[in-house]
Amino acid sequence: MKRIMENWRQLLNENKLRIFDFDDTLVQTDSKIILHKSNGETIEQTPGDWAVYEPQKGDEFDYTEFHGSLKNPRELKDYTNILRRVLGAGSDGRKTVILTARSPSSYNGIIEFLEDIGIDSSALELVTLGEGDPQAKADWVEQRIEEGYDDIFFIDDSPRYIAAVQALAEKHPNVKLRTQKV
């Protein structure tokens, strides 16, 4: 049965996956990650700060501001325009996904933001992982590879997420896997 599904997927050319991160890729918000260091220090980080921060032993992160509604969202037009072009190309063998570490409680706020900036949210899939571990995004992408997607383009602002997803290229050499850091 799996082989039949793979053959149909190839016949229909439904094997392209385009994945966009949300925070600091499509939108900039005033939400902060609160970093509690083992020495008692507390630091507010923007998603951009967090994306390049190298976690230290004993660090604890509080992502509370990434639950529920978006805090003063502003469109990042360079990448929302890319998203619009991808969606405008139609679904001809292509699935478009926004894959975010935000919690599922942010789902409606993200959909509302997309609609407010003129992006038809019904033309894409929104996945809210509720998990900041880069491996969670890589695992999600790998599950799609196992479903038969073999042409994947992944856009994210975090070098850690990019590295985790790019590591799949070695494990799956027959997959065309491209990543782009914002």
Side-chain angles (χ1 to χ4, degrees):
M1 181 66 166
K2 184 177 180 182
R3 181 168 242 33
I4 292 170
M5 290 303 294
E6 289 173 358
N7 290 341
W8 272 104
R9 185 175 300 281
Q10 289 174 350
L11 180 64
L12 297 172
N13 195 25
E14 293 180 358
N15 62 351
K16 297 177 184 175
L17 183 59
R18 304 301 180 246
I19 306 167
F20 293 79
D21 174 46
F22 187 66
D23 285 284
D24 282 8
T25 300
L26 301 174
V27 67
Q28 187 170 36
T29 71
D30 292 338
S31 299
K32 302 280 193 275
I33 297 120
I34 309 303
L35 166 60
H36 300 283
K37 299 194 68 61
S38 60
N39 66 3
E41 182 181 10
T42 299
I43 300 169
E44 286 188 351
Q45 295 180 313
T46 66
D49 295 334
W50 181 89
V52 296
Y53 178 76
E54 291 295 330
Q56 307 296 311
K57 186 176 181 177
D59 284 352
E60 292 183 22
F61 297 94
D62 177 351
Y63 301 101
T64 304
E65 292 188 18
F66 291 86
H67 298 258
S69 62
L70 305 182
K71 192 173 180 181
N72 190 25
R74 295 165 312 279
E75 177 182 4
L76 296 174
K77 290 191 178 191
D78 287 346
Y79 287 94
T80 56
N81 286 339
I82 293 171
L83 175 60
R84 285 182 179 92
R85 284 194 300 273
V86 167
L87 292 172
S91 61
D92 181 30
R94 184 179 332 199
K95 181 176 184 175
T96 305
V97 175
I98 294 175
L99 179 62
T100 178
R102 279 183 175 263
S103 77
S105 66
S106 298
Y107 186 92
N108 290 335
I110 293 170
I111 294 295
E112 183 179 313
F113 170 77
L114 294 171
E115 296 291 335
D116 285 350
I117 63 169
I119 293 176
D120 179 8
S121 63
S122 69
L124 55 80
E125 180 181 352
L126 172 59
V127 177
T128 54
L129 292 174
E131 169 68 57
D133 181 357
Q135 191 58 47
K137 281 191 180 183
D139 289 347
W140 189 91
V141 171
E142 187 165 33
Q143 288 173 352
R144 305 299 81 76
I145 291 170
E146 290 170 1
E147 290 173 5
Y149 289 98
D150 63 2
D151 183 343
I152 299 171
F153 185 47
F154 178 84
I155 301 173
D156 203 296
D157 66 301
S158 170
R160 288 181 286 172
Y161 288 127
I162 294 288
V165 170
Q166 191 60 50
L168 295 172
E170 188 174 315
K171 188 174 179 183
H172 300 280
N174 295 329
V175 173
K176 181 179 178 184
L177 178 60
R178 294 168 290 148
T179 58
Q180 181 173 332
K181 184 183 173 308
V182 174

